[in-house]
């Protein structure tokens, strides 16, 4: 029977079900044991599975990650939690130099089936080191899967898939969505890694986003329809690596316009990568240049200024308005553009 389920509850259930079904799964990190995590994602797991399966670690992120690497080599499937996104930076050398490279380094003889969970991004009135959008560092590192679910159903399903994966997964959990709810019956299975979801069907412009900005995109789309008669299609990437070019390109070719929405800083970020991929694959279907809405290119501000930093509905609508609405795409070379996608 379905019931109202928060994003946080969905994650807790995914961990609980994985611990129940696979004795090689271990959960550990900063305050995940008796406290149940700062955001209570691991609430009750130590009580129900014991300190051997869910336990606290020292506040030493590089050590936590190195310990997880060793456990993978001994046949375990560790799920580690960094308390906040930017707390993971001391472990970055372990992630880039060893976690991401081990399969390639050993010619496939040794894999690291581990999940690195990061409560990430802003929107909760936090400060720097607590609200970073760090996906750009991880998507740029070959050897990692990078996931950022936006719904409770995806939070459950994608975390189960991440834990079952034989390759390392960076699992980015938007803190601002921990208390979002949906009618849900668990367990549930949504689309697998590498498949984006069309959250709202539209015909005039494609709004491409992921993670914490999906709710903003949907609100902006409803306002655009009501006040401007723009029919906005919203595509939720769900997994950043692997990237679903097929769904994104199909949507943009249909609408002829694209806006990329990401909470991270705009310069050289995930949004820039998405915009480049859309331009390369859909150029001859575009009626206007691909535009971006992002966080500002500055360190994360204090809570009182957070609202000026984060992309909001007004900035999304202003960007959609800057698209060239009186122009039509030149489809003369559409066939050539299609060939380029498969090159």
């Amino acid at each position: 029977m379905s019931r109202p389920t928060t994003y946080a509850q969905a994650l807790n259930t995914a961990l609980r079900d994985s611990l129940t079904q696979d004795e090689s799964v271990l959960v550990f990190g900063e305050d995940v044991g008796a406290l149940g995590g700062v955001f209570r994602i691991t609430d009750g797991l130590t009580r129900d599975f014991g300190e051997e399966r869910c336990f606290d670690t020292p506040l030493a992120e590089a050590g936590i990650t190195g310990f997880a690497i060793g456990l993978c080599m001994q046949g375990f499937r560790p799920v580690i939690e960094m308390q906040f996104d930017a707390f993971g930076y001391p472990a970055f050398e372990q992630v880039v130099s060893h976690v991401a490279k081990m399969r390639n380094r050993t010619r496939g003889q040794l894999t690291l089936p581990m999940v690195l969970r990061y409560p990430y991004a802003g929107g909760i009135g936090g400060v720097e080191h607590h609200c970073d959008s760090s996906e750009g560092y991880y998507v740029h590192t070959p050897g990692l899967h990078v996931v950022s679910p936006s719904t409770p159903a995806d939070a459950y399903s994608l975390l189960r898939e991440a834990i079952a994966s034989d390759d390392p997964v960076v699992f980015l959990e938007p803190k601002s969505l921990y208390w979002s709810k949906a009618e849900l019956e668990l367990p549930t299975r949504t689309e697998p890694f590498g498949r984006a979801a069309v959250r709202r069907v539209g015909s005039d412009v494609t709004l491409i986003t992921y993670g914490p900005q999906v709710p903003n995109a949907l609100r902006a789309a409803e306002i655009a329809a009501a006040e401007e008669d723009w029919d906005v299609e919203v595509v939720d990437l769900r997994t950043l690596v692997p990237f679903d070019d097929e769904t994104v390109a199909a949507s943009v070719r249909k609408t002829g316009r694209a806006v990329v929405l990401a909470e991270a800083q705009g310069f050289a970020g995930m949004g820039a990568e998405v915009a480049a991929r859309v331009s390369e694959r859909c150029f001859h279907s575009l009626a206007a240049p691909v535009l971006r809405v992002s966080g500002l290119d500055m360190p994360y501000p204090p809570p009182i200024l957070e609202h000026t930093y984060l992309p909001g509905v007004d900035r999304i609508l202003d960007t959609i308005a800057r698209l060239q609405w009186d122009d039509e795409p030149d489809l003369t070379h559409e066939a050539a553009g299609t060939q380029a996608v498969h090159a």
Side-chain angles (χ1 to χ4, degrees):
M1 175 183 295
S2 64
R3 62 178 182 176
T5 303
T6 67
Y7 189 105
Q9 290 169 334
L11 292 172
N12 180 275
T13 305
L15 291 169
R16 185 175 295 276
D17 289 351
S18 295
L19 285 163
T20 300
Q21 295 174 15
D22 186 347
E23 292 187 352
S24 70
V25 175
L26 303 176
V27 176
F28 54 92
E30 297 160 337
D31 287 329
V32 304
L35 180 66
V38 171
F39 297 99
R40 301 298 187 271
I41 306 304
T42 57
D43 193 30
L45 299 184
T46 297
R47 178 196 62 210
D48 296 338
F49 294 93
E51 293 182 343
E52 293 78 18
R53 305 286 307 282
C54 179
F55 51 91
D56 291 328
T57 64
L59 301 179
E61 292 81 7
I64 296 169
T65 307
F67 180 47
I69 293 171
L71 285 168
C72 288
M73 293 176 175
Q74 296 300 314
F76 291 95
R77 290 182 178 272
V79 182
I80 64 177
E81 176 179 316
M82 302 295 179
Q83 202 164 68
F84 288 93
D85 31 62
F87 289 16
Y89 297 155
F92 195 61
E93 192 275 336
Q94 291 279 358
V95 174
V96 172
S97 296
H98 303 296
V99 173
K101 291 182 170 64
M102 193 63 72
R103 177 190 280 275
N104 189 65
R105 180 183 300 156
T106 62
R107 299 182 180 181
Q109 297 300 306
L110 183 60
T111 62
L112 297 181
M114 61 191 296
V115 180
L116 301 99
R117 293 183 43 246
Y118 296 87
Y120 108 114
I124 62 166
V127 295
E128 65 170 10
H129 292 98
H130 295 70
C131 294
D132 273 21
S133 294
S134 47
E135 62 268 38
Y137 304 123
Y138 301 113
V139 299
H140 191 64
T141 303
L144 301 174
H145 292 315
V146 183
V147 179
S148 187
S150 69
T151 68
D154 267 353
Y156 177 89
S157 183
L158 293 178
L159 183 54
R160 291 297 306 274
E161 184 174 351
I163 296 171
S165 173
D166 287 333
D167 288 308
V169 179
V170 173
F171 201 86
L172 302 172
E173 303 166 5
K175 294 186 288 289
S176 61
L177 300 184
Y178 274 147
W179 302 278
S180 61
K181 285 184 179 180
E183 286 288 334
L184 195 60
E185 181 176 358
L186 297 177
T188 188
R189 181 65 186 257
T190 59
E191 289 292 308
F193 284 9
R195 297 300 300 176
V198 177
R199 299 294 183 196
R200 184 184 190 280
V201 177
S203 58
D204 293 331
V205 55
T206 300
L207 189 52
I208 307 160
T209 189
Y210 55 92
Q213 284 297 316
V214 172
N216 267 345
L218 291 169
R219 281 193 290 272
E222 294 305 316
I223 294 172
E227 298 183 0
E228 303 291 345
D229 199 26
W230 295 326
D231 194 7
V232 180
E233 181 150 302
V234 176
V235 175
D236 175 4
L237 296 177
R238 301 174 69 246
T239 61
L240 310 186
V241 180
F243 187 89
D244 184 0
D245 283 306
E246 180 181 358
T247 298
V248 171
S251 176
V252 175
R253 290 196 189 103
K254 180 183 73 172
T255 65
R257 294 175 176 83
V259 172
V260 184
L261 169 62
E263 186 171 315
Q265 296 92 332
F267 185 81
M270 183 68 200
E273 173 64 22
V274 177
R277 299 179 85 86
V278 169
S279 297
E280 289 170 355
R281 289 159 175 77
C282 307
F283 181 79
H284 295 294
S285 299
L286 290 171
V290 179
L291 299 180
R292 289 179 287 157
V293 187
S294 70
L296 305 180
D297 290 316
M298 57 175 285
Y300 203 83
I304 195 172
L305 296 175
E306 184 181 56
H307 68 285
T308 66
Y309 172 88
L310 295 173
V313 169
D314 288 344
R315 282 170 60 188
I316 299 168
L317 294 174
D318 287 346
T319 304
I320 293 175
R322 289 197 290 116
L323 294 167
Q324 297 169 16
W325 288 96
D326 294 331
D327 291 352
E328 294 294 333
D330 178 3
L331 301 178
T332 305
H333 304 288
E334 185 175 31
T338 303
Q339 291 172 2
V341 172
H342 301 292

